[in-house]
């Protein structure tokens, strides 16, 4: 009796294994032509190599974000944890001790344990910045993050600003200049490189240094690091101004058209790009019957109403001259 039961059980297990292997084999075959399937990791798709049918799409890439071309390079790059970032002085590879004073189960720590954890936090902070260079970098990157948050700049600008500051620190450009001044200049340069510029007045409004020092340090950093930064384009300010004023897409397009005409006539030369952009937005709002006041535009662009009026008349004169010709 026991031998028959053992034989039946063995046959049942074999049948289950065969059915599982058949199911797996079916999953690896194309449902249309029965051909071999291949995974395209670049596009996140599973496709048939014979008929080209896309069996699955938008697959999750569970591999690393880096590439390695030999085993040594793979061993060097292999790691765990969050991706590295230049926005932190240690590139995000250090460990932080939380400030909640709770254990893994959410229970509050005893007074003795809290004192112990406080000492560990203190020593951890000291070990994270081992020398003056790292302390300098920690302070500067914190300043860049604070100003970028106040100005609403995206992460790519913060990353670029952090790289510029690191280069300035490595090339010994800081002696005789303040950490705040160089970090502000780095952020100003990064914003212009990324095509999301902020005016010098806006930068000075969130910085801890004066406008003249920012401009002087900016010119010095750009010259010494040989940064390629194009002159600010007035059109790059238009979307932000139009959005802050609640204007329509039609008004934004009209403002761009006015600026294009100004460039053709050459009246943009030597003029502040912020003033031209603000005047174009103001003029466009009147032309499309979405009236905003000069004081509202002045507040958004952070320039005087006199500048807006002067540039406004120049833009309309350029538009009229083109229409007459």
């Amino acid at each position: 009796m026991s031998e028959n039961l053992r034989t039946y059980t063995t046959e049942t297990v074999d049948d289950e294994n065969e059915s599982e292997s058949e199911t797996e084999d079916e999953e690896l075959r194309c449902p249309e032509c029965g051909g071999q399937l291949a995974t395209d990791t670049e596009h996140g798709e599973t496709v048939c190599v014979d008929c080209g049918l896309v069996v699955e799409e938008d697959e999750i890439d569970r591999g690393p974000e880096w590439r390695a071309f030999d085993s040594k390079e793979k061993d060097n790059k292999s790691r765990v944890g969050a991706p590295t970032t230049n926005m932190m002085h240690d590139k995000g590879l250090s460990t932080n001790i939380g400030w909640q004073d709770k254990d893994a189960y959410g229970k509050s720590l005893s007074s003795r344990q809290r004192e112990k954890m406080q000492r560990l936090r203190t020593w951890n902070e000291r070990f994270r910045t081992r020398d003056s260079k790292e302390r300098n970098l920690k302070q500067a990157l914190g300043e860049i993050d604070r100003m970028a948050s106040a100005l609403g700049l995206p992460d790519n600008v913060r990353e670029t600003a952090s790289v510029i500051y690191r280069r300035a620190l490595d090339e010994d450009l800081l002696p005789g200049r303040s950490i705040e001044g160089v970090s502000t200049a780095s952020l100003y340069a990064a914003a212009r490189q990324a095509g999301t510029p902020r005016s010098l007045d806006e930068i000075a409004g969130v910085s801890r240094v004066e406008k003249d020092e920012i401009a002087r340090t900016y010119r010095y950093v750009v010259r010494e690091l040989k940064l390629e930064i194009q002159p600010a384009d007035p059109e790059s300010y238009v979307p932000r101004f139009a959005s802050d004023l609640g204007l329509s897409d039609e008004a934004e397009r009209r403002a761009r058209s006015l600026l294009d005409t100004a460039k053709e006539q050459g009246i943009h030369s030597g003029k502040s790009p912020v003033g031209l952009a603000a005047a174009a937005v103001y003029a466009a709002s009147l032309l499309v019957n979405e009236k905003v006041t000069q004081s509202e535009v002045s507040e958004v662009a952070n320039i005087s109403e006199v500048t807006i009026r002067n540039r406004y008349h120049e833009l309309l004169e350029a538009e009229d001259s083109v229409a007459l010709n």
Side-chain angles (χ1 to χ4, degrees):
M1 180 69 177
S2 60
E3 290 180 359
N4 292 337
L5 180 61
R6 189 161 49 248
T7 303
Y8 173 76
T9 305
T10 304
E11 290 175 353
T12 304
V13 170
D14 291 341
D15 291 341
E16 289 178 354
N17 291 336
E18 287 179 6
S19 62
E20 288 179 1
S21 62
E22 288 176 359
T23 304
E24 292 176 358
D25 188 57
E26 288 177 0
E27 291 177 352
L28 296 174
R29 295 287 179 177
C30 175
E32 291 290 333
C33 67
Q36 291 285 343
L37 297 180
T39 302
D40 184 356
T41 56
E42 182 178 354
H43 298 92
E45 298 175 343
T46 299
V47 299
C48 175
V49 297
D50 294 332
C51 67
L53 175 70
V54 178
V55 179
E56 291 186 22
E57 60 181 352
D58 297 331
E59 296 176 354
I60 298 174
D61 183 7
R62 303 184 185 277
E65 82 283 2
W66 42 262
R67 292 191 303 169
F69 299 99
D70 54 44
S71 58
K72 183 179 179 181
E73 188 177 1
K74 182 178 180 180
D75 292 338
N76 289 336
K77 290 186 175 182
S78 180
R79 57 177 170 75
V80 295
T84 57
T85 173
N86 285 303
M87 292 187 285
M88 299 181 69
H89 73 283
D90 51 14
K91 296 193 175 181
L93 296 178
S94 63
T95 302
N96 291 324
I97 301 176
W99 294 89
Q100 295 181 339
D101 287 330
K102 293 183 180 180
D103 62 13
Y105 299 100
K107 297 179 180 178
S108 298
L109 301 178
S110 64
S111 59
R112 185 185 296 272
Q113 285 291 94
R114 285 199 297 272
E115 291 176 2
K116 180 180 178 181
M117 295 306 296
Q118 183 58 41
R119 288 196 299 273
L120 288 174
R121 289 190 194 100
T122 302
W123 281 107
N124 185 53
E125 284 297 314
R126 290 174 180 172
F127 285 131
R128 285 183 68 188
T129 52
R130 292 185 296 273
D131 52 32
S132 60
K133 183 177 179 180
E134 287 196 5
R135 286 193 295 272
N136 179 316
L137 198 56
K138 182 179 179 182
Q139 180 182 345
L141 298 183
E143 191 72 6
I144 288 172
D145 188 61
R146 180 189 67 81
M147 291 186 292
S149 297
L151 293 168
L153 291 170
D155 285 344
N156 66 312
V157 175
R158 305 182 193 199
E159 189 91 22
T160 304
S162 302
V163 172
I164 292 173
Y165 188 89
R166 286 175 185 273
R167 286 186 57 194
L169 186 62
D170 291 339
E171 298 193 20
D172 204 26
L173 302 184
L174 266 71
R177 290 166 181 83
S178 65
I179 293 174
E180 290 84 359
V182 179
S183 58
T184 306
S186 301
L187 184 63
Y188 181 50
R192 292 187 61 173
Q193 277 190 333
T196 56
R198 296 294 185 267
S199 68
L200 203 54
D201 290 324
E202 289 177 297
I203 293 287
V206 299
S207 178
R208 293 192 171 100
V209 294
E210 296 296 327
K211 179 179 176 180
D212 292 340
E213 183 181 345
I214 297 172
R216 186 167 57 250
T217 307
Y218 166 74
R219 288 192 295 269
Y220 174 73
V221 169
V222 169
R223 183 177 67 251
E224 294 298 320
L225 297 182
K226 297 180 174 59
L227 300 178
E228 295 183 2
I229 300 178
Q230 298 294 329
D233 187 353
E235 286 190 28
S236 60
Y237 294 94
V238 169
R240 182 160 57 92
F241 292 168
S243 176
D244 291 343
L245 292 167
L247 297 176
S248 64
D249 291 342
E250 183 184 0
E252 185 177 333
R253 286 194 298 270
R254 196 74 179 87
R256 291 178 184 275
S257 175
L258 288 170
L259 290 174
D260 289 338
T261 304
K263 290 177 185 177
E264 292 174 3
Q265 297 294 312
I267 68 170
H268 70 293
S269 180
K271 304 291 194 309
S272 167
V274 181
L276 279 172
V281 169
Y282 174 66
S285 69
L286 298 180
L287 292 172
V288 298
N289 294 320
E290 297 179 24
K291 295 181 180 180
V292 294
T293 63
Q294 291 181 7
S295 61
E296 289 174 332
V297 179
S298 173
E299 185 177 353
V300 167
N302 197 25
I303 59 172
S304 69
E305 295 181 30
V306 176
T307 303
I308 294 175
R309 281 195 294 271
N310 293 338
R311 300 292 91 81
Y312 163 74
H313 290 303
E314 292 172 357
L315 289 173
L316 291 184
E317 286 174 5
E319 187 83 357
D320 291 339
S321 64
V322 171
L324 291 174
N325 295 333

